[in-house]
DNA sequence: GTGAAAGCGCTAACAT
DNA sequence: ATGTTAGCGCTTTCAC
């Protein structure tokens, strides 16, 4: 009989998740006391605390955050929705988010929207049903989607990288206009007059803003724009390739070209590599985004506008934390982080 | 007074999350019935179902999965721990995971271990406290870590991409040995006799296995190995660069070189691009992993061993689902997915 | 086919 | 400083 009991006890300890109740019993205190110890309540005597801590150790107790969440209505989990996962740019932002979250004991559920508004809405619903404490979104489109519904239901929301038109909301993103402007200005000061432009999907604010910066710089230096060397893609490599090709085939080849993001940069660089030796000698490419090592292999690419990717994620998470914790700060906060122009020559 | 009440009601409906209780009251049924409707219980009359559904609609009821989880002890969430987030290879796997999970109504918390065993253990603890239904890990090291503890506590676990020595566990990964073997064999059949090798961190099984494949192919074709053209890095771009440099400076330059993963490939290609025009003419690079477009810019790289990255993720998630659902399949399952050799010339 | 009621594991008043 | 107790919102027997 005694043996049987022991076996049973061992079973309990080893296999089943112990509860506060069991810990309380083992330590000879109430569940409230156990809870206080877990939550580092100040007014607990040292002896009691140690006794409880020992029981926790012995029983291998692990808190059940589900139960805690039900009681406190906090999950210490946020949602992050981005257009795709296998995208270095987005994932650098994700790393920034994680870095900040971990400090606060938070973790995040990641979802991809596949650049689709419909999917994005589905993911939002999913996250809301999982009771996440807040959501960070890199919007799939420029349309308002489900965001205002989140707002009404008081689910903290921070937009990242892209804004949504006619929808005011907390957001963290790069100063795209001035980032592009500085690059173009730099090129002009180096004597370039003919500067091509490969833009992204103009339904996205980031694409629009970079184009805006390009136009402003041309305008400020009295350089008229030439439609032949201005093309728009969709931020993916293939479109960069196509745009580059179109520009290369235009009558007046530019001296250099500005590409609006990393992936189109790769596409454009590929075109330059595989076609026309002439291009290689003359044309240089300036890229938005710099993923470090990779770009080094493009010999025509020496000027980069670096976005503080990780910082964007960190700031977004910080802002979200502030909202979750109900800090009184003006709404909305739109944080623009400065880019850095780097000449690798 | 009436007005006041209405306002209050609207408030309730708009702002607060309705509960089953409220839905039940509104529909004039019991909470049990509401629950049955939510869970698609068969034996509910059509009228009742519609009545409840309408109330759900009207009140904007959203299920509280926290409460459900507490009751059912299922969270419909799994954890995914990988060495880093900003890594296209890992994230392609993550996309496969997501694709499969979504079918089952699951989502995942993503964590990076930063290639550190300590951090990995912390993340595992975090996930266990969040009561995830299972965990997928790309191990940070070859050591056993916290995995056996998970096993003992019956938390389903699937390893991905790398195995852990002396620890038997469900796993999904590429057939690295034969993947490398085929590439080397192919090169030999094309007449190459001097084939260099750049390996990864040999503490990882994936690195070991690819080296093993290389050695086997040489052996099978009676080619003796030359230590001068065999170097080991750490799977990161910088080390690929360094290894390539060392090989380039060796007395007998190989005709071609096999690089064990994508990132080292980039590093190696960079070295070739920026040094020695001679190299460019003679040396070709064969890479493990193929991220598509990017590699196209490396003119010396034409042969690739493609891993089915997304499939690996999908299979891993599938296997985990089977375990979570308690399906009776032999333990452990080690699933090796075949690679594909692609000659882009 | 539907309702009553217990309880998942925790926290937080409110007592003492 | 510690205990008692009442739920958080849901599911699930067990009745009827």
């Amino acid at each position: 009989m005694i043996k049987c009991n022991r076996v049973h006890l061992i079973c309990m300890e080893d296999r089943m998740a112990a509860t506060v109740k069991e810990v309380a019993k083992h330590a000879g205190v109430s569940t409230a006391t156990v809870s206080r110890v877990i939550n580092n309540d100040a007014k607990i005597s040292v002896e009691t605390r140690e006794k409880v801590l020992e029981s926790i150790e012995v029983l291998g107790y692990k808190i059940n955050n589900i139960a805690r969440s039900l009681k406190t209505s906090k999950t210490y989990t946020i949602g992050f929705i981005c257009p795709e996962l296998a995208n270095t740019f987005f994932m650098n932002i994700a790393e920034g988010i994680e870095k900040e979250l971990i400090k606060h004991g938070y973790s995040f559920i990641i979802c991809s929207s596949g650049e689709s508004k419909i999917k994005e809405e589905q993911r939002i619903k999913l996250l809301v049903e999982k009771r996440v404490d807040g959501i960070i979104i890199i919007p799939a489109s420029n349309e308002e989607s489900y965001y205002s519904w989140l707002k009404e239901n008081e689910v903290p929301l921070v937009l990242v990288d892209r804004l949504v038109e006619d929808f005011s909301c907390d957001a963290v993103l790069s100063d795209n206009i001035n980032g592009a402007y500085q690059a173009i200005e730099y090129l002009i000061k180096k004597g370039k007059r003919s500067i091509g432009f490969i833009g992204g999907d103009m339904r996205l604010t980031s694409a629009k803003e970079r184009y805006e910066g390009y136009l402003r710089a041309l305008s400020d230096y009295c350089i008229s724009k030439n439609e032949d060397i201005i093309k728009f893609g969709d931020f993916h490599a293939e479109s960069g390739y196509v745009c580059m090709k179109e520009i290369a085939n235009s009558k007046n080849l530019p001296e250099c070209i500005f590409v609006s993001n990393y992936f189109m940069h790769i596409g454009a660089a590929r075109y330059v590599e595989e076609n026309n030796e002439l291009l290689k000698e003359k044309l240089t490419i300036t890229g938005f985004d710099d993923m470090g090592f990779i770009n080094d292999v493009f010999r025509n690419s020496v000027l980069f506008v670096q976005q503080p990717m990780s910082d964007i994620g960190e700031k977004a998470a910080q802002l979200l934390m502030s909202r979750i914790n109900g800090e009184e700060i003006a709404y909305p906060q739109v944080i623009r982080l400065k880019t850095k122009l780097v000449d690798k020559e």
Side-chain angles (χ1 to χ4, degrees), chain A residues 154-210:
Chain A
E154 289 172 347
V155 178
L157 168 67
V158 173
L159 262 30
V160 157
D161 184 46
R162 308 164 177 175
L163 295 175
V164 171
E165 262 163 30
D166 306 322
F167 176 71
S168 105
C169 182
D170 283 335
V172 180
L173 66 170
S174 290
D175 181 354
N176 291 302
I177 297 183
N178 290 309
Y181 185 99
Q182 281 164 21
I184 303 301
E185 184 178 45
Y186 183 88
L187 292 170
I188 293 172
K189 286 189 174 164
K190 281 191 105 181
K192 312 286 185 189
R193 284 298 169 274
S194 170
I195 304 168
F197 182 86
I198 295 180
D201 183 337
M202 287 294 274
R203 286 169 302 181
L204 301 175
T205 57
S206 50
K208 268 194 208 171
E209 290 168 359
R210 289 166 204 176

Side-chain angles (χ1 to χ4, degrees), chain A residues 208-244:
Chain A
K208 268 194 208 171
E209 290 168 359
R210 289 166 204 176
Y211 185 49
E212 169 80 21
Y214 169 75
L215 291 181
R216 276 195 200 169
L218 290 193
S219 165
D220 287 2
Y221 287 87
C222 303
I223 296 175
S224 54
K225 75 168 174 173
N226 173 358
E227 303 282 2
D228 288 349
I229 56 173
I230 296 177
K231 302 288 170 188
F232 295 95
D234 64 2
F235 275 151
H236 291 282
E238 286 75 6
S239 75
Y241 184 89
V242 172
C243 289
M244 189 65 231

Side-chain angles (χ1 to χ4, degrees), chain A residues 96-110:
Chain A
I97 292 175
E98 189 191 33
K99 189 174 161 193
E100 179 67 23
L101 288 184
I102 214 82
K103 288 185 204 163
H104 302 261
Y106 268 74
S107 51
F108 67 118
I109 294 177
I110 197 165

Side-chain angles (χ1 to χ4, degrees), chain A residues 85-101:
Chain A
L85 303 184
N87 178 307
T88 314
F89 176 69
F90 298 148
M91 286 309 116
N92 270 294
I93 291 176
E95 290 202 335
I97 292 175
E98 189 191 33
K99 189 174 161 193
E100 179 67 23
L101 288 184

